[in-house]
Amino acid sequence: MAGKRKATDENSGQFINVSGPPQKRPRRVAQPVTAASMMEARNEWEERQRKEAEAKAEFLAQREREEEAERRATSALRIGEVLDAVKAAGYKTLHEFLADLLATKDQHQSSQVSQTLINHGDELLDLIRARQPELVSQWISKVAAEILKEEGAKLAQLFRPPQGQGVSKTLENFSLEQILADTEYLAPTLCVLLRSLAREGADTDTRKEKRRDVDLVLSTVICMLVQTRNEKASEYQTTMSFYLLACVPG
């Protein structure tokens, strides 16, 4: 009679290997690192970085284009609503509305218009110029001519010598700095124009010397302009001639 089969303890921790003997893993061998391989790896990394940057830039650009298109569509819708409201208020043209808005005498409305022009006037003028550059250029020339005419009349009156004053007295009172100071006070637009033409402002060690030379040229031009408007100011022309001769190296 066969004996009883010995029971197996399930918690004994013994396992039966049914997969056969363990497989031998291949040995990993480090590849030699050379300058060429390092350069190749670096080039591959830089190429990946470049492609990722390009993809990101394209994504951002596309999103910006979509947002800009959405802003324009929203802006066009809002402008249309405002224009419809302007017509509904009884204005036949946009010009009529803008003219009334800028000329309003209502205290609250006038204050709003003034604050808008003070805070955003330059931006609005730039937008008008971008829309109609030729029109703005013609307007600027017209207004500048009127301003320069007024400033020229002030300078002609300023440089009119007292009755009976001779060249010697004029020469005694002559001051280059005073001429420029008076001109900048009475004719600021003319001074800005002349200094812009002279291209003053180089940041060099000779800045002070260049400033003196520019001031001399400006004073000469100013005296010549004044003399053309006021023949009685010829003493200043003579005085400037003496000054220029004194500036010539011996």
Side-chain angles (χ1 to χ4, degrees), residues 207-223:
R207 177 181 175 87
K208 184 176 181 180
E209 185 69 19
K210 287 186 176 181
R211 174 62 182 266
R212 187 185 69 82
D213 294 341
V214 170
D215 288 350
L216 175 60
V217 173
L218 294 181
S219 299
T220 305
V221 173
I222 291 169
C223 289

Side-chain angles (χ1 to χ4, degrees), residues 62-134:
Q62 178 62 26
R63 186 172 67 178
E64 185 176 353
R65 287 192 293 267
E66 293 174 354
E67 291 176 351
E68 178 63 21
E70 184 178 354
R71 283 194 297 267
R72 290 184 178 182
T74 302
S75 177
L77 180 62
R78 295 168 63 186
I79 292 174
E81 293 175 351
V82 172
L83 293 178
D84 290 341
V86 168
K87 291 182 180 179
Y91 288 100
K92 296 180 180 179
T93 63
L94 182 60
H95 168 261
E96 291 182 0
F97 168 70
L98 293 176
D100 279 358
L101 178 63
L102 294 174
T104 180
K105 300 300 181 182
D106 181 85
Q107 184 175 359
H108 179 66
Q109 295 173 353
S110 178
S111 176
Q112 285 186 309
V113 172
S114 297
Q115 287 300 318
T116 299
L117 295 178
I118 291 172
N119 296 327
H120 307 286
D122 288 347
E123 179 184 354
L124 293 174
L125 291 174
D126 288 338
L127 292 173
I128 295 174
R129 184 182 181 187
R131 173 72 66 172
Q132 291 291 334
E134 184 176 353

Side-chain angles (χ1 to χ4, degrees), residues 136-154 187 189-190 193 229:
V136 174
S137 296
Q138 293 175 355
W139 180 84
I140 291 176
S141 298
K142 176 184 176 182
V143 174
E146 295 174 356
I147 295 175
L148 292 174
K149 183 178 180 180
E150 295 176 358
E151 293 183 351
K154 294 178 182 179
T189 304
L190 175 62
L193 176 62
R229 294 185 59 93

